[in-house]
Amino acid sequence: MWFGKESGKGGAGGDPQEDLTPVTTRGGDDGRSGLLDGSRRFKDDPVFDALGYVDEAQVALGACRAVAGLPETARDALARSLAGQIETEQYKLLVAGGVMACPVNVPFLAGQEVITDADVARLEERITWWRGQAELEPRFFVAGDSLLGAECDRARTVVRRAERAVVRVVRAQGREEQKAVSRYLNRLSDWFFILARWADRRFPLAE
Protein backbone atom coordinates (compact mmCIF):
# COMPACT_ATOMS: atom_id res chain seq x y z
CA MET A 1 0.00 0.00 0.00
CA TRP A 2 1.52 3.26 -1.11
CA PHE A 3 0.46 6.76 -0.17
CA GLY A 4 1.99 8.99 -2.81
CA LYS A 5 1.25 12.09 -4.78
CA GLU A 6 -0.09 10.07 -7.71
CA SER A 7 -3.24 9.09 -5.91
CA GLY A 8 -5.60 6.33 -6.80
CA LYS A 9 -7.39 6.29 -3.45
CA GLY A 10 -7.15 9.20 -1.10
CA GLY A 11 -3.49 9.69 -1.90
CA ALA A 12 -2.67 6.00 -2.14
CA GLY A 13 -1.34 4.22 -5.14
CA GLY A 14 1.81 6.18 -5.92
CA ASP A 15 4.74 4.60 -7.74
CA PRO A 16 6.82 2.61 -5.20
CA GLN A 17 9.91 3.38 -7.28
CA GLU A 18 9.44 7.13 -6.82
CA ASP A 19 11.73 8.43 -4.09
CA LEU A 20 9.21 10.60 -2.26
CA THR A 21 11.20 10.69 0.95
CA PRO A 22 14.67 9.24 1.54
CA VAL A 23 14.72 6.77 4.42
CA THR A 24 17.93 7.98 6.04
CA THR A 25 18.32 11.77 6.17
CA ARG A 26 20.34 12.26 9.38
CA GLY A 27 18.03 15.20 10.00
CA GLY A 28 16.89 13.73 13.29
CA ASP A 29 20.33 13.06 14.69
CA ASP A 30 20.00 16.10 16.93
CA GLY A 31 16.97 14.54 18.59
CA ARG A 32 14.44 16.64 16.73
CA SER A 33 11.98 15.97 13.93
CA GLY A 34 9.82 18.11 11.67
CA LEU A 35 6.12 18.85 11.39
CA LEU A 36 4.10 19.75 8.31
CA ASP A 37 4.94 23.45 8.49
CA GLY A 38 8.66 22.72 8.63
CA SER A 39 9.01 23.55 12.31
CA ARG A 40 11.17 21.18 14.34
CA ARG A 41 10.60 19.83 17.83
CA PHE A 42 12.33 17.34 20.05
CA LYS A 43 11.15 13.79 19.47
CA ASP A 44 9.84 13.43 23.02
CA ASP A 45 7.28 16.16 22.32
CA PRO A 46 3.74 14.86 22.95
CA VAL A 47 2.88 15.56 19.30
CA PHE A 48 5.30 12.86 18.20
CA ASP A 49 3.85 10.43 20.73
CA ALA A 50 0.46 11.01 19.12
CA LEU A 51 1.87 10.64 15.62
CA GLY A 52 3.69 7.45 16.54
CA TYR A 53 0.70 5.83 18.17
CA VAL A 54 -1.59 6.75 15.26
CA ASP A 55 0.98 5.13 12.97
CA GLU A 56 1.02 2.01 15.18
CA ALA A 57 -2.76 1.92 14.99
CA GLN A 58 -2.71 1.94 11.20
CA VAL A 59 -0.24 -0.97 11.23
CA ALA A 60 -2.34 -2.89 13.78
CA LEU A 61 -5.37 -2.52 11.51
CA GLY A 62 -3.24 -3.85 8.68
CA ALA A 63 -2.57 -7.01 10.67
CA CYS A 64 -6.33 -7.44 11.14
CA ARG A 65 -6.92 -6.96 7.43
CA ALA A 66 -4.22 -9.49 6.58
CA VAL A 67 -5.78 -12.13 8.84
CA ALA A 68 -9.24 -11.41 7.43
CA GLY A 69 -7.75 -12.07 4.00
CA LEU A 70 -6.24 -15.45 4.84
CA PRO A 71 -7.73 -18.26 2.72
CA GLU A 72 -9.41 -19.97 5.67
CA THR A 73 -10.98 -16.66 6.75
CA ALA A 74 -11.68 -15.04 3.39
CA ARG A 75 -14.03 -17.87 2.43
CA ASP A 76 -16.48 -16.07 4.71
CA ALA A 77 -18.33 -13.27 2.88
CA LEU A 78 -18.49 -11.10 6.00
CA ALA A 79 -14.74 -11.41 6.52
CA ARG A 80 -14.11 -10.33 2.94
CA SER A 81 -16.38 -7.33 3.45
CA LEU A 82 -14.65 -6.53 6.72
CA ALA A 83 -11.22 -6.47 5.06
CA GLY A 84 -12.40 -3.68 2.76
CA GLN A 85 -13.90 -1.72 5.63
CA ILE A 86 -10.68 -1.99 7.62
CA GLU A 87 -8.65 -0.76 4.67
CA THR A 88 -10.85 2.34 4.48
CA GLU A 89 -10.04 3.15 8.11
CA GLN A 90 -6.32 2.57 7.51
CA TYR A 91 -6.38 5.39 4.98
CA LYS A 92 -8.30 7.55 7.44
CA LEU A 93 -5.60 6.97 10.04
CA LEU A 94 -3.08 8.37 7.56
CA VAL A 95 -5.34 11.41 7.32
CA ALA A 96 -5.47 11.60 11.12
CA GLY A 97 -1.69 11.58 11.26
CA GLY A 98 -1.57 14.51 8.89
CA VAL A 99 -3.97 16.45 11.09
CA MET A 100 -1.86 15.80 14.17
CA ALA A 101 1.31 16.85 12.33
CA CYS A 102 -0.05 20.35 11.68
CA PRO A 103 0.66 22.72 14.59
CA VAL A 104 -2.05 24.94 16.01
CA ASN A 105 -2.46 28.32 14.27
CA VAL A 106 -0.79 26.92 11.14
CA PRO A 107 -3.06 26.45 8.10
CA PHE A 108 -3.39 23.00 6.63
CA LEU A 109 -1.74 22.26 3.30
CA ALA A 110 -3.76 22.99 0.17
CA GLY A 111 -6.13 20.10 -0.42
CA GLN A 112 -5.20 18.35 2.82
CA GLU A 113 -7.89 16.03 4.15
CA VAL A 114 -9.06 16.20 7.74
CA ILE A 115 -11.14 13.93 9.95
CA THR A 116 -14.76 15.06 9.92
CA ASP A 117 -18.02 14.34 11.71
CA ALA A 118 -18.93 12.16 8.71
CA ASP A 119 -15.98 9.88 9.52
CA VAL A 120 -17.18 9.54 13.10
CA ALA A 121 -20.73 8.87 11.90
CA ARG A 122 -19.51 6.18 9.51
CA LEU A 123 -17.86 4.34 12.39
CA GLU A 124 -20.98 4.67 14.52
CA GLU A 125 -22.94 3.06 11.69
CA ARG A 126 -20.39 0.26 11.52
CA ILE A 127 -20.65 -0.22 15.28
CA THR A 128 -24.43 -0.52 15.09
CA TRP A 129 -24.35 -2.96 12.18
CA TRP A 130 -21.63 -5.22 13.53
CA ARG A 131 -23.17 -5.12 17.00
CA GLY A 132 -26.09 -6.95 15.41
CA GLN A 133 -23.72 -9.70 14.23
CA ALA A 134 -21.88 -10.18 17.53
CA GLU A 135 -22.94 -11.67 20.84
CA LEU A 136 -21.71 -9.55 23.73
CA GLU A 137 -21.77 -10.90 27.25
CA PRO A 138 -21.59 -8.76 30.41
CA ARG A 139 -18.10 -9.89 31.41
CA PHE A 140 -14.43 -9.22 30.81
CA PHE A 141 -12.91 -10.94 27.81
CA VAL A 142 -9.53 -12.62 27.49
CA ALA A 143 -8.06 -12.24 24.02
CA GLY A 144 -7.02 -15.25 21.97
CA ASP A 145 -10.10 -17.32 21.19
CA SER A 146 -9.45 -16.71 17.49
CA LEU A 147 -6.55 -15.34 15.45
CA LEU A 148 -8.64 -12.56 13.90
CA GLY A 149 -10.23 -11.78 17.24
CA ALA A 150 -6.84 -11.53 18.93
CA GLU A 151 -5.60 -9.12 16.28
CA CYS A 152 -8.76 -7.03 16.60
CA ASP A 153 -8.31 -6.89 20.37
CA ARG A 154 -4.70 -5.83 19.91
CA ALA A 155 -5.79 -3.15 17.45
CA ARG A 156 -8.43 -1.97 19.92
CA THR A 157 -5.81 -1.37 22.62
CA VAL A 158 -3.36 0.32 20.24
CA VAL A 159 -6.08 2.65 18.97
CA ARG A 160 -7.11 3.49 22.53
CA ARG A 161 -3.51 4.36 23.36
CA ALA A 162 -3.42 6.63 20.32
CA GLU A 163 -6.58 8.31 21.54
CA ARG A 164 -5.00 9.05 24.91
CA ALA A 165 -1.96 10.58 23.23
CA VAL A 166 -4.14 12.70 20.95
CA VAL A 167 -6.17 13.94 23.92
CA ARG A 168 -2.93 15.09 25.56
CA VAL A 169 -2.11 17.18 22.48
CA VAL A 170 -5.68 18.50 22.21
CA ARG A 171 -5.61 19.66 25.82
CA ALA A 172 -2.44 21.62 25.10
CA GLN A 173 -3.41 23.01 21.69
CA GLY A 174 -7.19 22.84 21.49
CA ARG A 175 -7.31 22.59 17.69
CA GLU A 176 -10.83 21.65 16.56
CA GLU A 177 -9.66 19.32 13.79
CA GLN A 178 -7.57 17.40 16.32
CA LYS A 179 -10.57 17.06 18.62
CA ALA A 180 -12.29 15.27 15.72
CA VAL A 181 -9.34 12.86 15.56
CA SER A 182 -9.89 12.05 19.23
CA ARG A 183 -13.57 11.28 18.66
CA TYR A 184 -12.72 9.21 15.59
CA LEU A 185 -10.21 7.08 17.49
CA ASN A 186 -12.69 6.53 20.31
CA ARG A 187 -15.27 5.09 17.92
CA LEU A 188 -12.63 3.10 16.05
CA SER A 189 -11.59 1.35 19.25
CA ASP A 190 -15.23 0.59 20.10
CA TRP A 191 -15.71 -0.94 16.65
CA PHE A 192 -12.72 -3.23 17.05
CA PHE A 193 -13.97 -4.45 20.41
CA ILE A 194 -17.15 -5.61 18.69
CA LEU A 195 -15.21 -7.10 15.78
CA ALA A 196 -13.08 -9.12 18.18
CA ARG A 197 -16.15 -10.62 19.84
CA TRP A 198 -17.68 -11.42 16.43
CA ALA A 199 -14.47 -13.03 15.17
CA ASP A 200 -14.03 -15.16 18.30
CA ARG A 201 -17.38 -16.82 17.69
CA ARG A 202 -17.07 -16.93 13.91
CA PHE A 203 -13.55 -18.36 13.67
CA PRO A 204 -12.76 -20.11 16.98
CA LEU A 205 -9.44 -21.84 17.29
CA ALA A 206 -9.62 -25.61 17.51
CA GLU A 207 -9.68 -26.75 21.13
Side-chain angles (χ1 to χ4, degrees), residues 109-128:
L109 301 177
Q112 181 177 346
E113 294 183 51
V114 297
I115 298 298
T116 67
D117 289 341
D119 295 314
V120 176
R122 182 184 61 258
L123 284 176
E124 290 176 346
E125 290 175 359
R126 294 201 198 287
I127 289 168
T128 299

Side-chain angles (χ1 to χ4, degrees), residues 68 74 76-87 126 129-130 191:
D76 186 284
L78 274 183
R80 292 195 302 272
S81 172
L82 175 61
Q85 293 178 19
I86 291 174
E87 185 177 16
R126 294 201 198 287
W129 193 90
W130 284 94
W191 183 42

Side-chain angles (χ1 to χ4, degrees), residues 7 25 70 96 133 193 195:
S7 170
T25 65
L70 291 174
Q133 312 304 311
F193 174 79
L195 292 179

Side-chain angles (χ1 to χ4, degrees), residues 188-207:
L188 187 63
S189 179
D190 288 346
W191 183 42
F192 272 85
F193 174 79
I194 293 171
L195 292 179
R197 308 288 70 79
W198 169 80
D200 282 350
R201 287 187 174 272
R202 193 83 163 193
F203 308 106
L205 295 173
E207 297 183 357

Side-chain angles (χ1 to χ4, degrees), residues 16-44:
Q17 301 304 317
E18 183 181 5
D19 189 10
L20 295 177
T21 53
V23 175
T24 301
T25 65
R26 299 183 177 85
D29 288 354
D30 63 352
R32 293 180 293 181
S33 190
L35 297 174
L36 278 184
D37 66 336
S39 63
R40 298 184 64 76
R41 300 185 186 183
F42 283 103
K43 294 180 182 181
D44 60 356

